[in-house]
Amino acid sequence: MRDRFTVVGRATGCHLFEGDGTRPIDEENVHVKYTPKRVQFPEEIAAWRRSIEAEEERKEASGLPHRWNNARFAVERVVVTRTHLAEEPVVSLTMRDADYFDFLTTSLNLDRRQKNGLTLREQYLEGGDPADAPSWMNCSFGINVALETGKDGKMLFSRRSAQVAGPNSARWNSSANEGLAQQHDLPRDGSPVSLHAVARRALFEELAVHDGDQTRVELLGFGLDLVNHQWAAFFRAVVPELDEPALRLRWTRGVTDKWEHDRFEFVDADPESVLGFIADEPEERWTPCAPALFYLALVHGAVERADGDPAARFAVEQAEQKVMSDRGL
């Protein structure tokens, strides 16, 4: 039902729902509506959740490694429209209450048979449009950031640690990635959730990039992970006064969520180098949506260098063709 983003000859597991990298989505054109009403599972699925909760409580009581629960959001719908005159993209995101165990209930069981003989994937994702799946199937919304260093012109790739739960562990991912969490991202003054603020939190917690670093953060699009069924927002961030040595030095001094990554690679931020890195790493070592994120970041960088000319995106396509030709892809 949804096409898959393709790069260097590979069809990824990501559907690009909105955005092509040529223009960012203005922060004021992103409307997040939150209703404090909990998702409701069908009874059979609710029993799966109770089993997960009981197992994690058992492991915690035994002093074993375990997953802890926290309040999250479930996505009810994502709607994209345009402004009347300039036709700028406008995104409306409607969310309600969920938690981490809700997310595990579906994400770990997408291919588990129900009593009706169908898996969740067959019934709700392949049997219809996955973008219209019920809210209890959408208990994760991730913020994915591609970071570029201004002083030395590098793009940062981060590999998820094997300690991180879920199907994306030990895979190359965005520079920083955070799931929306009520404790951190739901303003106490009643103001709307800011996706841009979550992107800045991701940069701080995972990469020690601070507000004082004058980081420029731009929302480039939205994607849907068709393999693991997770919604994602794609951001590009540029830190003008930082380079690879400065960031690596900071990491030795401590990072809030240092355990989430076990390897970093800084690659020249030009299209040929970045796409070459993607092509040279085996397909199975990538999360479904990371290649799409970095491609959008490359396109936006090219458009910026061309003084806003959207036709500059074709320079990225030309670099991709060279990468593929050089490698016989």
Side-chain angles (χ1 to χ4, degrees):
M1 294 293 294
R2 292 280 174 172
D3 58 31
R4 293 174 177 242
F5 182 85
T6 299
V7 65
V8 295
R10 299 172 181 172
T12 70
C14 181
H15 169 70
L16 195 53
F17 190 78
E18 170 62 26
D20 63 3
T22 59
R23 59 181 178 179
I25 302 172
D26 291 339
E27 187 169 3
E28 58 267 26
N29 287 341
V30 180
H31 308 297
V32 181
K33 180 182 179 182
Y34 162 64
T35 302
K37 184 177 180 181
R38 184 168 173 74
V39 293
Q40 295 294 321
F41 287 111
E43 180 52 39
E44 182 179 1
I45 314 304
W48 297 357
R49 187 199 181 282
R50 289 192 293 270
S51 296
I52 289 174
E53 185 172 22
E55 175 63 13
E56 297 306 320
E57 290 177 350
R58 182 195 67 78
K59 290 190 290 188
E60 181 180 11
S62 301
L64 299 172
H66 62 279
R67 301 176 176 120
W68 63 91
N69 202 8
N70 67 328
R72 292 194 169 198
F73 299 96
V75 179
E76 281 197 279
R77 68 184 65 90
V78 181
V79 177
V80 178
T81 57
R82 294 289 186 266
T83 58
H84 293 295
L85 298 178
E87 296 188 359
E88 298 287 341
V90 178
V91 180
S92 298
L93 176 62
T94 306
M95 300 189 298
R96 59 194 301 178
D97 287 334
D99 61 30
Y100 185 57
F101 288 168
D102 293 335
F103 162 66
L104 292 180
T105 298
T106 55
S107 67
L108 298 180
N109 292 298
L110 285 176
D111 298 305
R112 178 176 176 178
R113 295 285 172 190
Q114 304 169 81
K115 293 177 181 178
N116 63 11
L118 297 174
T119 66
L120 296 181
R121 189 185 305 279
E122 291 169 341
Q123 182 170 351
Y124 297 103
L125 306 183
E126 297 174 349
D129 188 344
D132 294 333
S135 57
W136 55 267
M137 285 284 293
N138 306 323
C139 295
S140 174
F141 190 97
I143 301 296
N144 296 265
V145 187
L147 180 70
E148 295 181 36
T149 55
K151 288 187 72 174
D152 57 357
K154 301 283 188 178
M155 188 83 79
L156 173 59
F157 294 86
S158 302
R159 191 174 70 180
R160 299 280 284 175
S161 168
Q163 301 179 51
V164 178
N168 289 333
S169 63
R171 293 188 177 190
W172 288 110
N173 197 25
S174 51
S175 311
N177 170 274
E178 278 291 342
L180 265 68
Q182 294 190 28
Q183 177 183 353
H184 301 291
D185 305 318
L186 188 62
R188 296 182 180 180
D189 61 4
S191 58
V193 173
S194 167
L195 301 187
H196 285 70
V198 183
R200 294 182 182 278
R201 177 171 72 84
L203 290 169
F204 171 71
E205 293 186 358
E206 297 189 5
L207 301 176
V209 173
H210 298 255
D211 289 339
D213 288 318
Q214 302 178 328
T215 310
R216 178 160 50 91
V217 175
E218 296 171 307
L219 175 58
L220 300 182
F222 290 84
L224 181 58
D225 178 342
L226 300 175
V227 178
N228 305 303
H229 192 63
Q230 297 179 35
W231 284 96
F234 297 144
F235 282 85
R236 174 179 179 246
V238 180
V239 280
E241 299 302 320
L242 291 179
D243 56 14
E244 177 180 355
L247 278 172
R248 289 194 181 276
L249 178 61
R250 280 189 185 180
W251 299 338
T252 67
R253 297 169 176 170
V255 183
T256 303
D257 289 340
K258 191 172 185 176
W259 58 276
E260 292 200 18
H261 302 114
D262 62 13
R263 183 178 166 190
F264 298 99
E265 287 291 337
F266 287 83
V267 177
D268 289 338
D270 64 274
E272 188 174 338
S273 297
V274 170
L275 295 173
F277 181 80
I278 292 174
D280 291 340
E281 289 292 321
E283 187 173 356
E284 63 273 12
R285 294 184 187 173
W286 290 97
T287 63
C289 285
L293 164 69
F294 287 109
Y295 191 92
L296 293 186
L298 289 175
V299 168
H300 195 60
V303 170
E304 277 189 340
R305 291 188 294 273
D307 297 324
D309 183 359
R313 66 180 296 180
F314 297 116
V316 181
E317 290 189 9
Q318 291 172 351
E320 180 186 18
Q321 291 300 316
K322 186 176 187 306
V323 165
M324 295 176 65
S325 176
D326 290 348
R327 290 160 176 78
L329 300 177

